[in-house]
Each structure stands twice: as C-alpha cells, then as structure tokens.
Amino acid sequence: GNSVTQMEGPVTLSEEAFLTINCTYTATGYPSLFWYVQYPGEGLQLLLKATKADDKGSNKGFEATYRKETTSFHLEKGSVQVSDSAVYFCALLTSNYQLIWGAGTKLIIKP
Amino acid sequence: ETGVTQTPRHLVMGMTNKKSLKCEQHLGHNAMYWYKQSAKKPLELMFVYSLEERVENNSVPSRFSPECPNSSHLFLHLHTLQPEDSALYLCASSQDTSVETDTQYFGPGTRLTVL
C-alpha cells in the first residue's frame, strides 16, 4: 500500500544551521509528492511539491528533490531562521486523489 | 476574503450536543475535503466532494455527517460524539480531484473538544 515515513521530531537547530528532514515513501505508480508546513495556531500551507522523478520543488529557501531510486523526498534548507519553527508534513497523492500523510516533524529553531 | 476559511475556530461540546463545522473556499475550486488531525497521528482523510457530490468516504462513523450544498461551501454536522473525536478538523479544497490539478489548500482548522 501507500505510506509516508518521516523522521521523528522534534528537530532542534540553531539559527543559520543547515536543515534536513527526511521523508521516504512507498507507493504504486508515480505519485506527486508534497511538503506542507503548519505554523503554530494555523492551518496547513503548501510549501513545495514535485510531480515526477528528478523534479526539484523549492520555495522560501526550502528544497526537495523527488528521488525515485531511493523513494525519498527529503526537505532541505541551507540556513534556517527562527521563523521557520513549525511542523513539517511530507505527503503523497495517490492515483485516486487521496493525500497520504507522514506523521509530521516538529522543527524548533533557537536564536 | 481569500483562501479557505473555517468557522468556528474552537468548539467545545458535550457528547449529546449537535453542532456543525463550516468551511468556505474563495478559490473557485471544485473539490473539497474534510480531514481529522489528531496528536501524533498522520492526517486522516474523512470525506471528499467533487462538484458537490461525495466521491470518497473513508469509513467514517455516522456521527459525522458531511454536507456540500455548493462548490464553495462544505459542512460537517456532528452529533453524539465521543471524547476520542476531539481533534483539529481541517478543510481543504483543490481545483479538482484529478492528479493534474492536485494541490490542496487548507483552512486554519476547527479545534474540537468533546467533553
């Protein structure tokens, strides 16, 4: 079946550190992959997406590359800020339009 | 007014109460979704509507009853809930339910507490 696995949090980093949040998936076919972010007290916001193998999604300094050979979609950012503190969700869209979600990774950035 | 809005933002209800959650999207989308977000669990898809017709129901208990009167509005009617139904209920919309127009846009959620 379809599933998404994310690294457990919380992930705590200092400002300007390099960020990687791992995400791997199992799926039939070629799903679209997403990263959503949920800031405290707010709903989910699309951060970036990739729709086919080797695509790179990017937004607000975050990047993730759709790696079919490793079934991964790791989220990276070169220099994090305190304002990046949030919960990050990896998700895939199945062929019958269902979003399958990871459990979320809480990111805490300390000044 | 932009995006997806949800009301109320917070709701406390007893197990014998009847209440409704409302979602409205201002994006001109044709598909709308209800999700349940519980602590430390992946989001659970509850219902999917496309052009006001229900196209997916993920074995949700009948104490949750959705209603989609038009493509801009989605309701979730609640009755005789259980304490384990306490969660954040998220509404989302997308252009359609096809893979090609797949991005879902979320509302801020309704934090529901069942006493």
Side-chain angles (χ1 to χ4, degrees), chain A residues 30 32 34 36 38 41-46 49 51 89 93-99 101-103, chain B residues 9 33 35 37 40-43 45 48 55-56 58 88 90 97 99 102-108:
Chain A
Y30 303 94
S32 294
F34 302 81
Y36 279 83
Q38 188 173 33
E42 298 185 18
L44 288 159
Q45 301 176 27
L46 178 67
K49 71 175 187 179
T51 58
F89 294 88
L93 188 73
T94 67
S95 58
N96 61 342
Y97 47 77
Q98 285 202 35
L99 269 176
W101 296 84
Chain B
R9 293 293 306 275
Y33 310 76
Y35 287 89
Q37 185 179 25
K40 299 183 180 179
K41 291 177 64 176
L43 269 75
L45 178 64
V48 180
V55 295
E56 190 72 37
N58 281 353
L88 181 68
L90 293 166
T97 51
V99 176
D102 48 18
T103 300
Q104 293 182 21
Y105 296 85
F106 284 79

Side-chain angles (χ1 to χ4, degrees), chain A residues 14 16 18 21-22 24 28 33 36 38 49 56 64 66 71 73 77 87 89 98-99 103:
Chain A
S14 297
E16 299 184 5
F18 184 86
I21 300 179
N22 290 338
T24 57
T28 53
L33 300 173
Y36 279 83
Q38 188 173 33
K49 71 175 187 179
K56 177 185 284 186
Y66 189 145
T71 61
F73 193 54
K77 186 174 185 181
V87 182
F89 294 88
Q98 285 202 35
L99 269 176

Side-chain angles (χ1 to χ4, degrees), chain A residues 4-77:
Chain A
V4 175
T5 303
Q6 286 182 240
M7 61 191 294
E8 282 193 33
V11 173
T12 303
L13 296 172
S14 297
E15 211 166 15
E16 299 184 5
F18 184 86
L19 168 71
T20 300
I21 300 179
N22 290 338
C23 172
T24 57
Y25 67 92
T26 57
T28 53
Y30 303 94
S32 294
L33 300 173
F34 302 81
W35 277 101
Y36 279 83
V37 58
Q38 188 173 33
Y39 297 102
E42 298 185 18
L44 288 159
Q45 301 176 27
L46 178 67
L47 181 60
L48 53 85
K49 71 175 187 179
T51 58
K52 60 183 187 295
D54 300 326
D55 266 4
K56 177 185 284 186
S58 61
N59 185 27
K60 298 181 181 180
F62 291 89
E63 293 183 341
T65 301
Y66 189 145
R67 300 286 188 200
K68 192 174 185 306
E69 62 278 10
T70 54
T71 61
S72 65
F73 193 54
H74 303 323
L75 183 68
E76 296 181 336
K77 186 174 185 181

